Amino acid sequence: MKEIKLLVEDIREELEGAEHYAKLAAQYKTDDKALADTYATMASQELNHVDMLHAQAVRLINEQRASGVVAPASMQAVWDWEHELMVDKTAKIRALLDMYKR
C-alpha cells in the first residue's frame, strides 16, 4: 500500500528531526537555556508528528483488515520491521529529552 510507504518515509524524517533537535537541546542545556528549551520543544513537536502519522498508518491497516484484505506476509514483515525500528528510535529520543529535563 503506497500510503503506508509514504507514512513510513514521513515518520523516518520526523524522527531524524526530533533526534537532531533533542541532541541540540542537550548540547545547549548549560550554555543557553532558552535556546536549549526551544530545541527541546521542537523535538517534542516532531515526536507529536510521529504519533499522528503512526495513528494514520494503524488506521489504514485496520481499515484494510476490516474490509477483509489481508496483507501479503512479506508486506507485513516489512511493516513489523519498520515499526520496531521506529519504536526503538522514538524511545531513544524520548530518553534524550528526559535526560535534558533533569
Side-chain angles (χ1 to χ4, degrees), residues 23-37 39 100:
K23 286 179 179 178
L24 288 170
Q27 178 181 337
Y28 286 102
K29 181 178 180 177
T30 56
D31 295 336
D32 189 336
K33 182 77 166 118
L35 180 59
D37 286 346
Y39 281 129
Y100 168 75

Side-chain angles (χ1 to χ4, degrees), residues 3 5 13 29 31 36 38 41 48 56 75 77 80 83 89:
E3 291 87 358
K5 179 181 183 256
E13 283 185 34
K29 181 178 180 177
D31 295 336
T38 297
T41 298
N48 286 337
Q56 290 304 305
M75 184 183 292
D80 291 344
H83 188 257
K89 188 159 191 144

Side-chain angles (χ1 to χ4, degrees), residues 14-49 93-94 96-98 100-101:
E14 297 292 336
L15 286 172
E16 289 302 317
E19 182 177 41
H20 172 76
Y21 295 137
K23 286 179 179 178
L24 288 170
Q27 178 181 337
Y28 286 102
K29 181 178 180 177
T30 56
D31 295 336
D32 189 336
K33 182 77 166 118
L35 180 59
D37 286 346
T38 297
Y39 281 129
T41 298
M42 292 171 71
S44 294
Q45 289 172 349
E46 297 283 29
L47 290 175
N48 286 337
H49 298 164
I93 295 165
R94 289 192 195 283
L96 269 173
L97 288 173
D98 285 343
Y100 168 75
K101 293 174 186 175

